[in-house]
Amino acid sequence: MDQIYEMVIGLEVHVELKTKTKIFCGCSTSFGAEQNTQCCPVCMGMPGTLPVLNRQVVRHAVKAGLATNCRITRYGKQDRKNYFYPDLPKAYQISQYDLPLCTGGYLDIEGENGAQRIGITRIHIEEDAGKLVHQENGTCIDYNRCGVPLVEIVSEPDIRSASQALAFLQKLRAILLYIGVSDCKMNEGSLRCDVNLSAHKPEEPFGIRTEMKNLNSFSSVRKAIEYEFKRQVEVLSAGGTIDQETRRFDADSGKTYTMRKKEDAHDYRYFPDPDLMPIVIREDLLRELQGEIPQLPDERKRIYMERYGLGAYDAEQLVTEKEIADYFEKAVSFGGEPKQIANLILSEVFRLLPPEDPKIPVSPEHLSKLCALTASGEINGSTGKKVLHELWRQDRDPEEIVREQGLQQISDESLLSRYVDQVMEENPKLVDQYRSGKEKVLQALIGQMMKKTRGQGNPRRISDLLLKSLRK
Ligand code: ADP
Ligand code: MG
Ligand code: ZN
């Protein structure tokens, strides 16, 4: 039944900008401070106070727009979005309505079926709200987060699967980290995602969407999408209709629940904030900011593909974390074979790396050397892994480790032949099985050979010699 429905997704991503002070006052934005120690009459919305826009917020937001191929609004403004919530003491949020700072951009992702372009509708600046702290005896409010600067990045409904949604978020996060406008820590709430999702039959117009708010991990985004699509398809297949509503995703049960019926823009009574000046972006500022944009992930990806012959998917994996891309380039600069270095990073290094902290404890020079040792046949692949693990614990010259522990690959034909004879003699059953057509047992015999060589045999040689004897 599912197959006839297609999912349609648009994302709204809230990103806390990296500034020392808040968007309209001088309070600190640092994370984790004691509750209600970083607020003042301005960010707490006391009557009679006046907001003053933090220049850095505009610079960061414009850079985010430039890096995602947006048009920059040269004459913008800020608007009040009216709604009541206990963590929003003014009862309105200063945001942007019809003149957002950036519009009409896009991002390219590496989807299941190759490259795909996802439109970015708009990027606007706004202030964050406070935080409700639920305790046993009631709910308290921490205003430290009130007035922390945000950009909201809204995508077009161009996304068609959970994997594409994650690829979009990953790419967006990569770009924001490259340009240094946010630390994008999902676990600290500096990157949060709302998922808008509908289901329709491809030949029909888009369906009615629901919105799942404030998802704060990639795995929640995936689970929320999968659950909600299934739910909508069940309703639609049974002849029902979807209500446009905001739903809450519960990470523990993996389900979504109705939170409130969706409000429309007119419910917010947006109007220009009379306390704030228009935002004017002059040509020279635009040029200055353009000049501050470093080489972006896509540019690096293109170079890796063209210069080093990497596949699109592998190249994308390498550029997603700037530290990893820098590391890769450094290792290549020490003379290692780029494709080999890439393979080692994407397999063994990624396996060893904790996802929260992509810092490789092995120097790029040593990794490059390790690759060279495997490439020259000095050690075999499985020894390479062993040495890498060793380097992980204590970073030093891999050649030293190989020498000290006598890990050189054993390729000597007469020695290997002697082992082959022994292994054949000790495993007559396997030999018989092989000779009567069960060729899979070759692997078991190779395994025995590896044991004899303490994992250091040359696998290619071993299999050649074994086959020669088996076919006798
Ligand atoms: P609002 O301001 O009410 O949240 P927007 O027009 O800004 O509404 O759209 C919010 C998000 O919903 C955007 O990311 C957009 O791509 C997405 N969206 C719009 N229509 C659909 C739809 N039919 N299905 C899925 N997502 C949609
Ligand atoms: Mg919305
Ligand atoms: Zn303040």
Side-chain angles (χ1 to χ4, degrees):
M1 203 51 141
D2 291 24
Q3 291 88 313
I4 59 167
Y5 286 96
E6 173 184 63
M7 69 169 95
V8 172
I9 297 171
L11 299 177
E12 293 166 85
V13 186
H14 286 92
V15 180
E16 280 182 1
L17 295 174
K18 206 196 279 178
T19 56
K20 286 207 177 65
T21 56
K22 293 186 179 179
I23 183 168
F24 299 121
C25 64
C27 293
S28 165
T29 55
S30 67
F31 180 80
E34 195 185 331
Q35 289 160 5
N36 295 310
T37 56
Q38 295 179 164
C39 33
C40 73
V42 174
C43 54
M44 292 181 70
M46 301 292 176
T49 57
L50 283 174
V52 178
L53 180 58
N54 181 342
R55 205 176 279 272
Q56 192 61 37
V57 172
V58 178
R59 296 175 70 101
H60 279 344
V62 168
K63 272 167 126 170
L66 290 171
T68 51
N69 313 290
C70 288
R71 279 188 304 279
I72 305 302
T73 304
R74 304 294 294 276
Y75 194 87
K77 66 176 168 73
Q78 289 161 282
D79 302 277
R80 290 187 182 179
K81 180 181 186 180
N82 296 282
Y83 63 100
F84 171 76
Y85 215 67
D87 57 11
L88 185 75
K90 294 199 294 278
Y92 62 84
Q93 177 191 28
I94 302 178
S95 179
Q96 294 192 283
Y97 182 48
D98 52 340
L99 288 173
L101 267 183
C102 321
T103 56
Y106 63 84
L107 274 192
D108 289 328
I109 59 166
E110 205 53 57
E112 298 100 328
N113 313 309
Q116 198 196 335
R117 186 155 286 187
I118 310 292
I120 289 178
T121 317
R122 55 187 278 149
I123 301 178
H124 67 250
I125 56 173
E126 61 186 25
E127 58 183 333
D128 210 344
K131 211 186 239 169
L132 297 179
V133 183
H134 302 288
Q135 295 175 337
E136 241 170 74
N137 53 354
T139 296
C140 297
I141 308 175
D142 176 10
Y143 288 116
N144 281 355
R145 205 176 63 185
C146 262
V148 166
L150 297 175
V151 279
E152 178 173 338
I153 301 166
V154 183
S155 91
E156 291 289 309
D158 290 344
I159 297 166
R160 294 289 174 276
S161 70
S163 309
Q164 285 179 13
L166 293 190
F168 176 86
L169 287 173
Q170 221 123 33
K171 193 56 165 281
L172 183 63
R173 179 175 172 276
I175 291 172
L176 297 172
L177 285 171
Y178 270 61
I179 62 177
V181 300
S182 171
D183 63 22
C184 295
K185 288 186 185 155
M186 289 188 95
N187 57 347
E188 291 184 5
S190 36
L191 192 154
R192 331 189 273 269
C193 179
D194 305 345
V195 173
N196 296 270
L197 186 147
S198 64
H200 75 144
K201 296 179 181 163
E203 66 280 7
E204 288 175 1
F206 285 172
I208 293 180
R209 71 177 194 267
T210 60
E211 178 171 1
M212 287 151 286
K213 281 215 171 284
N214 279 333
L215 300 167
N216 59 5
S217 73
F218 285 142
S219 79
S220 292
V221 170
R222 177 182 291 283
K223 284 185 200 142
I225 289 173
E226 282 164 358
Y227 178 84
E228 181 62 10
F229 179 62
K230 198 157 157 268
R231 187 191 71 85
Q232 289 190 14
V233 168
E234 271 165 22
V235 171
L236 294 171
S237 307
T241 51
I242 302 296
D243 289 331
Q244 182 170 334
E245 62 185 4
T246 302
R247 297 178 72 85
R248 185 174 65 83
F249 173 71
D250 179 55
D252 293 327
S253 66
K255 296 181 178 173
T256 65
Y257 301 93
T258 298
M259 215 159 83
R260 55 174 190 259
K261 297 292 162 198
K262 180 70 188 164
E263 48 293 276
D264 282 318
H266 62 249
D267 296 329
Y268 292 123
R269 300 280 171 206
Y270 279 101
F271 70 91
D273 193 307
D275 291 338
L276 287 158
M277 309 276 276
I279 302 175
V280 183
I281 314 281
R282 286 212 300 267
E283 188 66 37
D284 50 347
L285 175 63
L286 205 54
R287 242 177 298 149
E288 183 186 325
L289 295 173
Q290 184 76 61
E292 288 177 14
I293 307 263
Q295 195 179 44
L296 293 174
D298 276 342
E299 174 71 3
R300 284 187 159 189
K301 179 177 166 190
R302 195 181 52 75
I303 293 174
Y304 295 176
M305 292 170 68
E306 285 176 13
R307 197 177 298 165
Y308 304 142
L310 300 188
Y313 183 79
D314 287 355
E316 181 87 31
Q317 298 289 103
L318 283 177
V319 300
T320 298
E321 299 285 352
K322 184 167 180 296
E323 285 90 351
I324 301 286
D326 289 344
Y327 182 95
F328 167 69
E329 290 180 18
K330 207 61 186 285
V332 169
S333 77
F334 283 107
E337 219 278 295
K339 212 158 180 172
Q340 243 185 357
I341 295 176
N343 284 342
L344 187 60
I345 293 177
L346 294 174
S347 57
E348 222 37 42
V349 170
F350 272 14
R351 240 192 304 278
L352 290 167
L353 215 52
E356 325 76 65
D357 182 22
K359 184 118 189 44
I360 303 172
V362 180
S363 79
E365 187 177 6
H366 291 159
L367 192 95
S368 176
K369 234 176 176 175
L370 177 59
C371 281
L373 288 171
T374 351
S376 68
E378 178 81 10
I379 56 175
N380 68 20
S382 70
T383 306
K385 261 190 218 171
K386 212 156 92 186
V387 174
L388 181 68
H389 285 239
E390 227 49 35
L391 292 176
W392 212 268
R393 276 194 298 275
Q394 195 201 353
D395 187 24
R396 56 196 186 115
D397 189 342
E399 240 171 56
E400 249 172 55
I401 300 179
V402 170
R403 216 175 326 112
E404 276 173 23
Q405 306 187 10
L407 297 174
Q408 290 88 346
Q409 177 159 257
I410 300 171
S411 306
D412 180 68
E413 202 135 326
S414 62
L415 180 59
L416 288 179
S417 293
R418 238 178 302 137
Y419 286 147
V420 166
D421 292 344
Q422 288 175 18
V423 164
M424 303 255 299
E425 220 175 279
E426 289 161 15
N427 299 278
K429 241 205 197 123
L430 290 177
V431 174
D432 281 349
Q433 282 176 330
Y434 183 89
R435 288 182 171 150
S436 57
K438 209 173 157 205
E439 299 190 354
K440 274 204 313 239
V441 302
L442 179 65
Q443 282 315 314
L445 291 166
I446 291 178
Q448 292 299 318
M449 284 295 289
M450 278 301 178
K451 233 187 214 163
K452 289 230 180 282
T453 58
R454 296 193 352 258
Q456 288 163 236
N458 179 328
R460 166 69 74 41
R461 266 309 135 78
I462 285 178
S463 123
D464 286 350
L465 288 171
L466 266 175
L467 282 173
K468 217 161 84 191
S469 296
L470 284 167
R471 284 172 185 157
K472 259 188 207 146

